[in-house]
Amino acid sequence: MDRKAYTAKLAALRELRAEIGAAEKAVADAQRALGRLGQERGRRVMELAAYEGAKADAIAKAGGLSVGDVVRIAPLLDPTPPGARVVRADDRGAAAVPAPAPPDQTPPAVETAVAVAPAPTRPAAAVEQPPVPAPDAAAAPAAAAVAAATAPAARETEPGVQADSSAAAPVVVQGQVRVLPHIPQGPAGDRFAAVTSGLVSTRPNFVQQPRVTVFLDAATGDLVAREYTLRLDLGAKSPGEILDAVLAAAPGTERVYVTAGAPWHEGAERYSTLKDAVAAWLHTPSQRWTTATGRGRDKLAGHFVHQRQPVGRYAPAAAPDGAMVEIRWVGEWFDADGADPALCRDAFRLLWQALRRHWDDVVLMGSPSQTGRDLWTRTIPTKGKWAGGYPVMSEELRALLHATGGQGRSELMVPPRVPERLPGLVEFDATFAYGKQTWKSGVGAPRRVTARAFAAMDEGAQAKALMACSHWHVRVTVPAGWEHVGLLPAPVPGERAWEYPATGGATFTTWAGGAEVHLALTNHLMPWRIEVLDGLVWEDGKPLDDWAKRLKAAWADLTNLSTLHGDERQRTAAYLASRAVRSILLFGIGGFAQRPRTVGGSTPVGEPLPAGVEILGQDDRLVTWQRSTGFSRDPNAHPEWAARVWSGARTALLSMRMREDDVMVGALHLPPASIVAFRTDAIYTTADVTWPYHGQPGEFLKKGHLPGPVPAPATLDELLALRDLGRAHFARGGER
């Protein structure tokens, strides 16, 4: 470049600077105009919200907003169960008034706190102040000011420990509050203890059609289709390039399981989150492929954006209503852990053969959850009381269970609850834990048990109600002098987030399964004080028992094969297949919970987006998004079953009697200061105890032992690192 060219380019750069400045000014003007329009839209939403029959979804659609946006502008339009929301204090310290605790049926002057007493040693009932009634709209600002003035200052607590609070106070952490929903009185409450009209789980009258499936190592390009292996050129590993290569080598393919390579993480460093990277990969433009819209009985459509287990669903762009091809991660079924595609194919083959012994019409569907629920429908009885199928709970009750039926316990104790230096770390993992909890589940419409009705029961009737399939709204007080881990979950800010208060005197309000509440009352250390506010009790039934027994039999067959087969590769394949059976039961139970469904899609830049979407990412061509479609009329939605299994598993993690050995096992039977962490069905402890193990579901297997001293983990990653070291040390024969 000479001097003349340099001067010319400088002049051109100045012109560009002027253009950029003008564009920035235009953007600023547009943003100000957009802000004014947004304020006007908010004002109009507030006007519409004043109408008695206003609905959040209708206003959202008219205003181009999500329902969540409308609710944030006009909280009275919140369609979720009352109180199931997060409230934040603003910068000036004014606190929003949380939804009050639900009143029971006692006279308005006092509220009788029923200290549940199945055992003779229970503390006597106490009398407390009634909950504050809900303020009306006009009184809300004054009530907020009073709440701000009288609320105790939030203080930091140890992880997993609830700060002391009044009996009626919601859980508060760093200015946030999350209050769980309750069942209202009157006709609105009656709808909770009901079933959905015309919606019943029935045995299918059709056979699922298998899909042609291949297994692909995206790192090497190795493809296993039927009985042959090929190496493909996957180019830049975009979805379109992968599908082009796979379909050219194996025409007719309908499902691709990626066994290694995770192509959706390619270039992830360019994105702020891993989810953004996955979304961008799934929606990478292709001339030959477009997002599938579902077909036949398979109503799934669009991609599923997940950080580690995404699902891409594609159709030929020339015939978008044609055959759909899925790209999935084999890790949905089991951890391949370096297994090649041929070994993964063999694992699926063994899985199908093991299940075929128990279901003549078994078809392996895309995910363990889909497969599990399909197999369950084929065990629905054709005789007896439930021959016509199992009724689905009301939408109100399903929403309540979604908000209050937590899953596995995940908790990490950090110093000073545990020493800075641990004398060692032992891992006990409950084998096939959920498989032990499927022998009983609630069926039919539940019976509501109010606080007054519960108080009127004798101790035997109270114990029977708690030990039935039940779900309870309770106010809990940790006894003074309690030195062990927490027993009942308390809500903390964040969707479906829980902690387990263990500080003596801590009081909180929560929902819990009957088994957990009963354990809190009858544990061998010290009974907790429980005040029943409300409850739902189902008729005991066995809707999952036959399904689970068949799965456990298949799991046992494959587990035995994984130790007895003479060929090492087949032993590994059988082990992977046994893990897949575990996933079918585990995720099948999770599928019964029927969370609000999320669908995703993409829209060309400049075109209007669908109402209520969350933008996941954008490039120069497409805006990728997702949105929740709420609860569907799913005939197989049974969150009451999932909640009972999860509650039973959390209870067994704390205390369980091994009948054959007459031995009590679980965290409560370990020294209090020895518990380091819980992870769903695993206990991490410094106590090296010897518990019986026969390889049956629910029994605790010692899987790792790391001799100390070791630093106490402060994060989940640190815990997992110590776990891996402990497993490796234990596998080498150390500290058995």
Side-chain angles (χ1 to χ4, degrees):
M1 180 185 299
D2 58 13
R3 179 69 180 180
K4 183 177 180 180
Y6 174 77
T7 302
K9 289 184 180 295
L10 275 178
L13 183 59
R14 293 189 190 98
E15 293 175 358
L16 180 60
R17 181 188 66 188
E19 293 176 5
I20 291 174
E24 288 176 340
K25 184 177 182 301
V27 169
D29 292 338
Q31 287 177 336
R32 284 192 292 270
L34 182 60
R36 290 191 297 270
L37 292 171
Q39 291 175 355
E40 177 61 15
R41 180 167 62 178
R43 186 186 66 78
R44 296 187 184 187
V45 168
M46 291 295 292
E47 288 180 351
L48 290 168
Y51 173 59
E52 183 178 358
K55 298 292 185 182
D57 53 351
I59 296 175
K61 184 175 181 180
L65 297 167
S66 69
V67 172
D69 291 332
V70 171
V71 168
R72 279 189 285 273
I73 297 170
L76 290 176
L77 295 178
D78 194 344
T80 61
R85 61 200 68 161
V86 174
V87 183
R88 297 178 183 271
D90 65 23
D91 295 337
R92 297 183 302 277
V97 179
D104 67 2
Q105 306 300 315
T106 56
V110 294
E111 177 182 0
T112 302
V114 183
V116 187
T121 56
R122 291 293 168 266
V127 177
E128 298 180 2
Q129 294 298 318
V132 180
D136 58 27
V146 172
T150 59
R155 62 182 178 87
E156 293 187 3
T157 60
E158 301 170 37
V161 179
Q162 167 63 35
D164 294 347
S165 59
S166 67
V171 177
V172 179
V173 177
Q174 295 181 348
Q176 300 180 23
V177 61
R178 173 167 161 248
V179 182
L180 296 179
H182 66 273
I183 304 176
Q185 297 186 45
D190 295 340
R191 290 196 292 270
F192 282 74
V195 299
T196 302
S197 176
L199 195 60
V200 181
S201 304
T202 57
R203 184 186 282 260
N205 57 5
F206 64 92
V207 177
Q208 294 286 357
Q209 297 301 309
R211 289 190 173 183
V212 180
T213 302
V214 300
F215 299 86
L216 174 69
D217 184 330
T220 64
D222 289 340
L223 175 77
V224 172
R226 300 180 179 87
E227 300 300 328
Y228 56 88
T229 301
L230 301 171
R231 175 155 292 186
L232 308 180
D233 180 2
L234 302 179
K237 301 180 184 178
S238 70
E241 289 170 302
I242 289 175
L243 292 175
D244 287 342
V246 169
L247 269 294
T253 294
E254 296 174 281
R255 181 176 296 131
V256 180
Y257 279 119
V258 176
T259 65
W264 38 83
H265 291 163
E266 296 281 341
E269 67 279 357
R270 301 196 304 267
Y271 299 88
S272 57
T273 68
L274 202 56
K275 191 172 184 178
D276 289 344
V278 172
W281 184 86
L282 288 171
H283 294 90
T284 301
S286 171
Q287 292 182 347
R288 287 173 43 82
W289 298 94
T290 187
T291 302
T293 57
R295 62 185 176 90
R297 295 184 183 274
D298 187 352
K299 300 299 182 184
L300 290 174
H303 307 310
F304 175 64
V305 182
H306 187 277
Q307 292 90 326
R308 311 226 173 249
Q309 296 179 355
V311 181
R313 301 184 179 98
Y314 301 92
D321 295 330
M324 180 172 71
V325 186
E326 291 183 331
I327 300 179
R328 310 186 74 112
W329 176 238
V330 79
E332 293 180 77
W333 294 84
F334 48 72
D335 182 2
D337 193 24
D340 58 64
L343 194 55
C344 293
R345 175 205 56 195
D346 292 345
F348 271 78
R349 183 175 293 165
L350 289 174
L351 171 64
W352 180 84
Q353 291 171 350
L355 295 175
R356 183 72 168 74
R357 300 186 188 103
H358 304 282
W359 282 277
D360 292 339
D361 52 357
V362 60
V363 171
L364 298 182
M365 302 180 71
S367 70
S369 176
Q370 292 172 287
T371 304
R373 290 215 293 171
D374 179 68
L375 293 178
W376 172 76
T377 62
R378 298 171 194 282
T379 65
I380 294 175
T382 56
K383 298 180 181 179
K385 181 176 181 179
W386 304 107
Y390 295 103
V392 174
M393 300 300 102
S394 67
E395 186 169 339
E396 291 85 352
L397 180 50
R398 280 182 278 154
L400 183 142
L401 289 167
H402 169 68
T404 63
Q407 297 189 36
R409 179 169 181 166
S410 182
E411 186 179 15
L412 177 64
M413 321 305 180
V414 298
R417 291 189 67 178
V418 296
E420 294 279 357
R421 303 284 292 178
L422 304 179
L425 187 65
V426 184
E427 177 190 6
F428 290 101
D429 184 70
T431 299
F432 211 179
Y434 288 179
K436 187 177 177 61
Q437 305 299 328
T438 53
W439 63 278
K440 181 177 75 171
S441 302
V443 289
R447 171 172 59 96
R448 183 179 182 184
V449 180
T450 64
R452 171 175 285 183
F454 191 88
M457 296 179 181
D458 59 31
E459 293 180 1
Q462 289 179 352
K464 184 178 180 180
L466 290 174
M467 292 307 293
C469 299
S470 54
H471 198 55
W472 299 92
H473 195 196
V474 292
R475 187 170 295 142
V476 183
T477 300
V478 183
W482 182 260
E483 296 180 347
H484 220 294
V485 297
L487 303 185
L488 292 171
V492 293
E495 184 183 5
R496 298 173 57 79
W498 306 90
E499 64 180 10
Y500 293 82
T503 301
T507 301
F508 57 96
T509 300
T510 190
W511 284 85
E516 294 174 279
V517 175
H518 189 265
L519 176 66
L521 290 162
T522 62
N523 73 85
H524 66 289
L525 299 175
M526 189 181 298
W528 284 33
R529 186 173 186 280
I530 307 293
E531 175 192 349
V532 170
L533 303 175
D534 218 331
L536 295 164
V537 180
W538 283 266
E539 175 187 341
D540 288 349
K542 293 182 176 293
L544 302 179
D545 191 46
D546 183 29
W547 171 72
K549 282 180 177 177
R550 299 190 200 189
L551 288 176
K552 286 184 281 189
W555 170 80
D557 291 343
L558 290 166
T559 300
N560 290 334
L561 189 64
S562 70
T563 59
L564 299 177
H565 201 288
D567 183 83
E568 182 180 356
R569 281 182 63 85
Q570 288 304 299
R571 287 198 302 271
T572 302
Y575 171 74
L576 295 178
S578 72
R579 300 298 291 173
V581 175
R582 175 185 177 275
S583 296
I584 289 173
L585 187 137
L586 179 70
F587 296 115
I589 290 171
F592 286 120
Q594 198 231 6
R595 291 170 180 77
R597 186 182 173 199
T598 299
V599 298
S602 59
T603 301
V605 172
E607 292 188 10
L609 297 175
V613 302
E614 173 193 357
I615 296 177
L616 299 176
Q618 179 176 342
D619 58 23
D620 58 344
R621 295 184 57 190
L622 295 174
V623 177
T624 60
W625 47 264
Q626 69 179 16
R627 65 176 173 181
S628 173
T629 59
F631 294 98
S632 63
R633 283 183 59 86
D634 183 351
N636 297 323
H638 290 285
E640 70 278 12
W641 299 348
R644 203 216 72 81
V645 170
W646 294 333
S647 173
R650 292 193 301 268
T651 304
L653 197 64
L654 296 173
S655 184
M656 178 181 66
R657 179 170 173 260
M658 298 185 65
R659 298 185 182 278
E660 294 182 6
D661 305 276
D662 195 22
V663 173
M664 298 300 295
V665 298
L668 289 184
H669 305 281
L670 296 172
S674 71
I675 309 298
V676 177
F678 295 103
R679 289 199 71 232
T680 306
D681 50 11
I683 302 172
Y684 296 86
T685 175
T686 60
D688 188 11
V689 295
T690 302
W691 285 338
Y693 182 76
H694 310 291
Q696 297 301 310
E699 295 180 347
F700 286 101
L701 171 65
K702 184 177 178 180
K703 294 186 70 173
H705 188 158
L706 182 64
V710 296
T715 65
L716 176 60
D717 288 341
E718 292 179 4
L719 173 68
L720 296 180
L722 294 178
R723 178 203 66 180
D724 293 342
L725 291 174
R727 288 183 178 180
H729 178 80
F730 191 66
R732 293 193 298 267
E735 303 290 340
R736 289 185 177 273

